[in-house]
């Protein structure tokens, strides 16, 4: 069976799983796939297409649902005998409207599948080859040895006291004073974002977000039935005039912001900007959700206190995560909140999933307390610094003169803006085939409108790969710009 | 400092943390706690009062927020110098209205603190002394040895394929055919409940629930802005006439049900009742959320297929959990859904917290595949059968003649109804001081109205403790009933 995935450089924006499902449906209709024939195994097809297994699963699942395929546990998926098949299957029970909107939103933002051999400058997953696996295993062993079954009962809603204490001590190194009682653990910063927005906003309310911003925040907004009020990013950070006007609107309930190592921009605001931002929020009595997802990853410049450290009015709900600085797989983040907010967050955490896995929380606490986290950070920061330098040198060497980029002082990501009105989506396929992956900028816009920028990361590629990737990207960009100029000139001729 | 906790046998229903906070506030007002004085350590006070540390933390936290106390990391919590304290502190940013409602709901349902030495017939946490800790550690070691860092990156939204495959095989033993593609892993059945209700219902919608029902479902409903439409439980299961009338209302979007080993009733419905229930749902096109949280814990009688196995219309979303049959601390449940529902569930899971911890999922998959889960279940079922027998014998021996109880065929819980119009809340304190704990029935009512029943569990107490506990409970109940009769007679004399 010949299945081809076209990613959306053609503007069609069709989700990959739908493309797979449609091509199988066509093959059955044409008769090239007959009743009883076995479909390729999900793993195999996913690998052949260079897509996630879930994508293939979902395509098969849709077709099973439609009665075209049937899945048999342990045997595989087969084309169903269509004789006697009900011609008007009963419709599935309707989803909540907000879920339909969420699905529409996701369909309009396909994710891009990696291909083997291409330099991965698109991803924000920390490099598994850098994980301190052995020392983490020792921590896991130690806590199971000492606490055993105690770690396998339900945990407190708030999460392991030991880990909250360790996190409080870490936050103190960022000038952020918080007691363990002011911290609740959550499933990565992701759940923190969801719970913190939920705390202050009802469906129909608005949330101020930076533009561009972390694309999963936009997904969480849609899932919560909230609307995004974009605050443009300037060279200094979020535009404070627009922010003040936006937060003054009663229907705007909070501001979500990433003041350090912004995703996707890689930018960090100054203490003065932060003070002014807090001042606006305090004047208007609006809460701020500060995402410090990479706060432990500064590798250059002077530390700047988090917004939460400058907040005298209990307005800032602060998010911390181990996902970027240790590994995402433990699914541990922390929400720090003062005052009454903790009461609401605990109630929401309880209603959502009761509590996290104490065994992992205890292992991470042991890991931190044994000094292993600090040791790991120290190496990781050096690596990130080298990778950033390689990327910046590559950009200087290979990008056209009128391209611009940010120079981050921490974290994994930077923002590359190309000249002109191009849409970086249109570069993606060419770049991928040439051997480099990036995250097109439109994904970080609340309305998905085109962007002439892209996010590049140093998460998965080492310095050698970064050099190679940026060189390839430079060639692709220059070729594209030349072509665009030529097209524009030709068009002028004909006009 | 002398703090006393009164639980709500007096009908005051005040949350324990508020009682603690109020007494500290009074002590400061009276001057018996002066500026700069140090409050007891949270752990110590929690232990002394027999309450959870979080409860004390929250009380302190409220008072820090009010400016009465100040918390210093690593040093403790102190009474703040009140001179110069702002007399009208700026109000905290308002919560979403639905969060306020959630907090009100939680305050009206205080949880009862266990005391050392009392027989724990109230809890639904499986007995840690029965956990197969060593074999689970071996599984954890094995997967870390073989997969290492791969398990510490972000997992698929849907969860480990290996574990979904293992769960599919287990479900098949319950006559429930499901492919791994039709399963999404979640944080225990708790998150499954939240996501499944969210899939079909918007804030303001209604959800049909059994009455009595699992109290955390009622919490999740409030958190989601949904309303409960109670379906009375008969001796056969949920009243199907009421169910049909209720599901016919357009604003009622789904039915949440526990057909096997119902919590709190301990009752199991017949296949005929299940077929009739499915027929109603199919006729009205309304989805069913079937909670199979204890499905692997049958220890008597003949297996009955889950609703999902009888469903030909893709109406049932089925929940499975390892929390009661293995241990809760891995926080792993599974949602099985056919047709389009999976697409919506994956989008909601992604928006809520991205994914679960693959390391724990892989360890549980290894544990199941090594046959250890089956081995553990086999022993656990025998233990539960013995404990149930001890409890039933105790009830026969010690309860008054007109008390009634259910006789479960699986799981941990049964339901004891006492004669007359009493409220079992009024027994709680006396029973606790006499040495036995139970879960008062009002907690399982959607409106918290009084109940003459209680849930008793065999989760944490062994047979000897169960015998002792039921004997104590019998004495307390009889004394209470005698007293109630005497009071009624005296009242009659005066009338």
């Amino acid at each position: 069976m010949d299945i081809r995935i076209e990613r959306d450089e053609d503007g069609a924006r069709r989700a990959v799983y739908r493309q797979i499902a449609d091509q199988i449906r066509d093959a059955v209709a044409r008769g090239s796939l007959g009743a009883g024939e076995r479909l390729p195994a999900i793993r195999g097809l996913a690998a052949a297409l260079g897509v996630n297994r879930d994508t293939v699963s979902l395509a098969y699942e849709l077709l099973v649902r439609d009665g075209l395929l049937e899945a048999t546990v342990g045997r595989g998926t087969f084309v169903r005998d269509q004789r006697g098949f009900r011609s008007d299957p009963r419709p599935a029970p309707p989803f909540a409207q907000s879920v339909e909107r969420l699905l529409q939103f996701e369909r309009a933002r396909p994710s891009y599948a990696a291909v083997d051999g291409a330099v991965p400058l698109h991803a924000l997953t920390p490099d598994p080859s850098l994980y301190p696996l052995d020392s983490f295993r020792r921590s896991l062993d130690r806590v199971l040895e000492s606490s055993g079954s105690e770690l396998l009962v339900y945990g407190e809603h708030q999460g392991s006291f030991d880990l909250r204490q360790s996190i409080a001590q870490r936050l103190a190194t960022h000038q952020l004073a918080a007691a363990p009682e002011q911290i609740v653990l959550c499933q990565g910063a992701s759940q923190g974002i969801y719970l913190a927005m939920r705390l202050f906003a009802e469906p129909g309310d608005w949330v101020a977000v930076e533009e561009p911003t972390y694309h999963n925040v936009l997904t969480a907004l849609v899932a919560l039935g909230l609307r995004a009020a974009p605050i443009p990013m300037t060279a200094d950070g979020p535009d404070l005039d627009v922010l003040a006007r936006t937060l003054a609107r009663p229907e705007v309930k909070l501001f979500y912001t990433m003041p350090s190592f912004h995703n996707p921009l890689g930018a960090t605001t100054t203490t003065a900007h932060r003070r002014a931002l807090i001042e606006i929020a305090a004047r208007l009595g609006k809460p701020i959700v500060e995402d410090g997802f990479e706060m432990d990853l500064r590798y250059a410049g002077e530390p700047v206190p988090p917004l939460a450290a400058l907040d005298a009015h209990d307005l800032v709900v602060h998010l911390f995560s181990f996902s970027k600085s240790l590994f995402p797989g433990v699914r541990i983040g922390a929400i720090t909140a003062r005052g009454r907010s903790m009461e609401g967050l605990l109630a929401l955490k309880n209603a959502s999933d009761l509590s996290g896995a104490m065994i992992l929380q205890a292992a991470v606490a042991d890991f931190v307390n044994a000094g292993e986290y600090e040791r790991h950070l120290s190496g990781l920061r050096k690596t990130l610094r080298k990778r950033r330098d390689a990327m910046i040198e590559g950009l200087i060497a290979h990008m056209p003169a009128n391209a611009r980029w940010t120079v981050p002082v921490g974290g994994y990501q930077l923002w590359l803006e190309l000249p002109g009105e191009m849409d970086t989506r249109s570069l993606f396929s060419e770049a991928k085939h040439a051997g480099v992956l990036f995250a097109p900028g439109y994904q970080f816009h609340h309305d998905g409108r085109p962007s002439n920028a892209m996010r590049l990361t140093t998460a998965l590629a080492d310095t050698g790969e970064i050099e190679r990737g940026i060189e390839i990207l430079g060639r692709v960009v220059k070729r594209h710009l030349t072509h665009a100029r030529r097209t524009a000139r030709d068009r002028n001729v004909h006009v």
Side-chain angles (χ1 to χ4, degrees), chain A:
Chain A
M1 197 172 48
D2 182 28
I3 291 180
R4 283 178 215 188
I5 304 305
E6 304 201 336
R7 291 212 173 64
D8 62 353
E9 53 277 13
D10 58 0
R13 287 196 188 180
R14 291 201 319 132
V16 172
Y17 72 91
R18 295 208 165 254
Q19 295 190 42
I20 298 171
D22 289 351
Q23 289 176 59
I24 294 171
R25 204 189 301 272
D26 289 351
V28 172
R30 279 197 316 270
S32 64
L33 255 181
E37 262 190 81
R38 185 184 184 142
L39 277 284
I42 287 169
R43 289 178 189 224
L45 183 55
L49 296 176
V51 303
N52 195 293
R53 290 203 303 251
D54 281 340
T55 308
V56 179
S57 290
L58 196 53
Y60 282 15
E61 172 51 23
L62 273 181
L63 296 171
V64 167
R65 147 97 208 128
D66 291 350
L68 201 84
L69 303 181
E70 54 194 339
T72 315
V73 178
R75 290 183 53 229
T77 308
F78 299 86
V79 177
R80 191 162 159 173
D81 187 343
Q82 302 296 306
R83 288 168 303 180
F85 181 64
R86 50 184 181 181
S87 56
D88 63 354
R90 170 183 292 273
F95 293 164
Q97 274 308 308
S98 56
V99 176
E100 295 290 1
R101 280 194 297 271
L102 177 62
L103 289 172
Q104 277 167 24
F105 182 84
E106 290 210 332
R107 278 180 207 130
R109 277 178 167 63
S111 54
Y112 295 88
V115 290
D116 283 344
V119 179
L121 303 183
H122 65 305
L124 205 43
T125 300
D127 192 341
S129 73
L130 302 176
Y131 294 174
L133 188 64
D134 290 336
S135 48
F136 182 68
R137 281 181 71 177
R138 281 193 296 273
S139 286
L140 204 47
D141 276 349
R142 262 199 302 269
V143 297
L144 277 169
E145 185 67 42
S146 63
S147 304
S149 295
E150 277 177 50
L151 298 176
L152 290 165
V153 297
Y154 290 104
E156 301 173 23
H157 304 327
Q158 195 157 3
S160 147
F161 184 86
D162 290 346
L163 184 53
R164 286 186 280 127
Q165 198 160 40
S166 311
I167 291 174
Q169 282 158 8
R170 291 248 7 118
L171 294 176
T173 68
H174 292 275
Q175 308 177 45
L176 175 48
E181 293 75 22
Q182 295 172 315
I183 295 173
V184 55
L185 303 183
C186 51
Q187 297 292 108
S190 308
Q191 189 182 37
I193 290 169
Y194 191 87
L195 297 179
M197 297 204 298
R198 175 74 185 77
L199 180 63
F200 299 113
E202 295 287 1
D205 284 340
W206 294 69
V207 171
V209 293
E210 288 149 350
E211 177 109 316
T213 191
Y214 175 40
H215 56 286
N216 281 343
V217 166
L218 299 171
T219 310
L221 280 178
V222 176
L224 287 165
L226 302 173
R227 280 175 282 188
I231 311 297
M233 289 298 280
T234 71
D236 298 329
D239 184 318
L240 294 178
D241 293 331
V242 179
L243 180 68
R245 283 200 302 276
T246 305
L247 286 184
R249 288 161 50 196
E251 68 275 21
V252 179
K253 300 300 184 187
L254 67 114
F255 178 42
Y256 168 83
T257 179
M258 293 167 283
S260 290
F261 326 136
H262 184 276
N263 180 14
L265 296 188
T268 298
T269 62
T270 61
T271 305
H273 188 278
R274 295 177 189 209
R275 286 195 195 282
L277 197 161
I278 287 279
E279 167 62 31
I280 290 168
R283 179 156 46 83
L284 298 164
K286 293 286 169 82
I288 296 170
V289 176
E290 175 181 29
D291 194 343
F293 69 114
E294 285 177 346
M295 67 191 296
D296 278 341
L297 295 181
R298 175 179 285 274
Y299 50 67
E302 288 305 308
V304 183
L307 289 166
L310 303 172
D311 166 33
H313 305 280
D314 299 354
L315 287 168
V316 178
V317 173
H318 180 274
L319 307 179
F320 167 83
S321 173
F322 283 107
S323 293
K324 308 304 183 198
S325 53
L326 184 53
F327 20 67
V330 289
R331 308 303 300 120
I332 300 177
I335 316 176
T336 302
R338 300 204 192 87
R340 199 173 160 243
S341 295
M342 184 48 63
E343 192 184 2
L345 288 167
L346 282 176
L348 288 172
K349 173 70 183 165
N350 175 35
S352 305
D353 60 6
L354 292 182
S355 63
M358 260 201 299
I359 179 173
L360 296 178
Q361 294 173 359
V364 172
D366 181 274
F367 185 86
V368 174
N369 295 342
E372 293 292 342
Y373 179 60
E374 202 55 70
R375 197 166 306 140
H376 170 64
L377 280 181
S378 158
L380 181 58
R381 288 191 197 111
K382 285 194 193 100
T383 303
L384 288 183
R385 170 74 190 240
K386 281 187 201 134
R387 290 183 178 184
R388 179 205 69 170
D389 291 347
M391 185 171 275
I392 298 292
E393 281 163 31
L395 291 169
I396 293 170
H398 302 293
M399 282 298 142
N402 43 4
R404 297 185 310 161
W405 53 83
T406 54
V407 180
V409 291
Y412 294 95
Q413 61 281 347
L414 67 72
W415 190 242
L416 169 64
E417 276 186 83
L418 299 180
E421 294 216 337
M422 68 174 311
D423 180 353
T424 48
R425 249 179 311 197
S426 66
L427 279 183
F428 186 83
S429 179
E430 194 182 339
K432 187 171 82 168
H433 291 121
V436 64
L437 301 166
F438 61 84
Y442 82 100
Q443 295 182 312
F444 308 96
H445 284 162
H446 78 287
D447 53 3
R449 69 175 188 285
S451 163
N452 68 342
M454 63 179 70
R455 186 188 69 186
L456 298 175
T457 70
T458 59
L460 287 182
D462 64 24
T463 50
E465 290 174 305
I466 289 170
E467 283 164 19
R468 183 161 61 88
I470 296 292
E471 190 181 338
I472 298 168
L473 186 63
R475 273 203 306 275
V476 171
V477 165
K478 284 175 179 165
R479 192 159 55 213
H480 187 89
L481 291 175
T482 311
H483 177 76
R485 263 196 305 275
R486 220 174 274 149
T487 311
R489 202 178 50 212
D490 291 354
R491 205 180 282 136
N492 283 338
V493 168
H494 292 293
V495 164

